[in-house]
Amino acid sequence: MQGFGILGSAIVALIVLAAFKNAIIADVTAVDYCWRIVLGVGAVPGLAALYFRLTIPETPRYTMDVEKDVNKAATDITSYLQKDEANGEGENAGNHVEVPKASWSDFVSYFGKWNNGKVLLGTAMSWFALDIAFYGIGLNNGIILSAIGYADTHEPDLGERAYNSLKNMAVGNIIITIMGTIPGYWVTVAFVDSWGRKPIQLMGFAVLTVLFIVMGAAFTPLKEHSIPAFIVLFTLLQFFQNFGPNTTTFIVPGEVFPTRYRSTGHGISAASGKLGAIVAQVGF
């Protein structure tokens, strides 16, 4: 859904800009209202997601492994399969299974073993490496859009120039998202189970490495002499980012850790990604 979120944000920006066109041309400070409205609209799906996160029932695996109630887990499974309400058996004390309780000492003991620790290291470093590139591109998106002709304009009037520049950037983001980002996500959806998470992630990182080297080494010649080739390479970059690590880095941490540390492992991995985003912002 991230691809549709990116597309949706660009469409919302375009709509808001169209609504404030005359105001921006008359007074460029009206742009201040636009970004606030776009940001506010973006909070709506976030609040909806928060509601569902807070109200969604726990999975039977969580009930069994963390709450250690086998009967309630069995009742929940029956309820899910029959798409009916539980018959009340889950309210009983139930049987319990001996699974270590989440604690700092157990965390250190579990991830202190190399076979377990290397998994967390792998998910964290993968997300870290991805977000250096992902946010590095995002922070320099204006340069990319300028290179393909969707950025600043040169009208003498400041208001018209501001409006047209922002409109071009929104349109450019829509084009990039439709051409590369969304197709990449859906190709992943098609192959993630048959091909597997790890092969897709390794393939994505390998292809991205080649594309970044080519685009970095030939950026100026491409920009000055072959804009179509530049657009093709950048589209492939977006495609393989999403048919690759920008999808699998979210999926894998949610599957490889034991239930009691699944959220913790996923959170550490995600935090490593945000550290990569900081490195991208400070370093580039």
Side-chain angles (χ1 to χ4, degrees):
M1 294 303 292
Q2 187 182 44
F4 287 112
I6 295 170
L7 177 62
S9 65
I11 292 173
V12 169
L14 201 58
I15 293 171
V16 173
L17 282 170
F20 280 82
K21 178 180 179 179
N22 293 333
I24 293 171
I25 292 174
D27 182 4
V28 73
T29 59
V31 170
D32 193 52
Y33 295 104
C34 296
W35 74 261
R36 294 176 189 274
I37 293 171
V38 173
L39 192 64
V41 172
V44 174
L47 290 172
L50 178 62
Y51 169 77
F52 287 114
R53 290 286 180 90
L54 294 175
T55 57
I56 192 171
E58 297 293 354
T59 64
R61 181 178 291 276
Y62 180 91
T63 304
M64 183 173 68
D65 286 353
V66 178
E67 296 182 350
K68 302 181 178 63
D69 192 334
V70 177
N71 281 357
K72 187 174 186 301
T75 301
D76 289 343
I77 292 173
T78 302
S79 175
Y80 295 152
L81 292 177
Q82 295 178 347
K83 296 182 179 180
D84 198 359
E85 294 184 357
N87 57 18
E89 293 177 5
E91 297 177 0
N92 299 326
N95 297 325
H96 293 269
V97 291
E98 293 300 325
V99 177
K101 186 177 181 180
S103 64
W104 175 247
S105 59
D106 181 65
F107 177 88
V108 173
S109 174
Y110 180 82
F111 286 106
K113 299 175 182 177
W114 175 241
N115 283 341
N116 301 327
K118 69 180 181 181
V119 176
L120 180 59
L121 180 65
T123 58
M125 292 308 297
S126 296
W127 212 325
F128 174 81
L130 166 70
D131 277 5
I132 290 178
F134 184 84
Y135 285 93
I137 291 174
L139 290 168
N140 293 284
N141 215 27
I143 298 173
I144 303 297
L145 292 173
S146 177
I148 63 176
Y150 282 94
D152 293 338
T153 58
H154 304 285
E155 289 85 354
D157 182 76
L158 180 61
E160 287 188 17
R161 186 163 71 250
Y163 170 77
N164 288 326
S165 295
L166 291 170
K167 184 186 74 172
N168 284 351
M169 292 180 70
V171 172
N173 278 316
I174 290 172
I175 293 171
I176 290 170
T177 303
I178 292 174
M179 289 177 62
T181 305
I182 291 178
Y185 278 120
W186 284 103
V187 173
T188 300
V189 170
F191 289 99
V192 70
D193 288 325
S194 59
W195 193 5
R197 282 78 161 147
K198 187 175 179 179
I200 290 175
Q201 180 155 308
L202 291 174
M203 177 277 301
F205 272 124
V207 174
L208 287 173
T209 299
V210 174
L211 289 172
F212 275 123
I213 291 173
V214 171
M215 291 191 69
F219 180 82
T220 301
L222 286 170
K223 180 180 175 182
E224 293 179 353
H225 305 294
S226 185
I227 291 298
F230 184 92
I231 294 173
V232 169
L233 287 171
F234 188 72
T235 300
L236 289 173
L237 191 69
Q238 294 294 323
F239 178 84
F240 282 104
Q241 237 183 359
N242 297 292
F243 179 38
N246 197 39
T247 302
T248 53
T249 51
F250 290 85
I251 297 173
V252 174
E255 298 178 338
V256 295
F257 302 113
T259 308
R260 66 188 186 279
Y261 292 127
R262 188 158 296 165
S263 295
T264 304
H266 201 286
I268 291 172
S269 302
S272 298
K274 300 318 117 184
L275 181 60
I278 294 172
V279 171
Q281 184 173 5
V282 174
F284 303 101

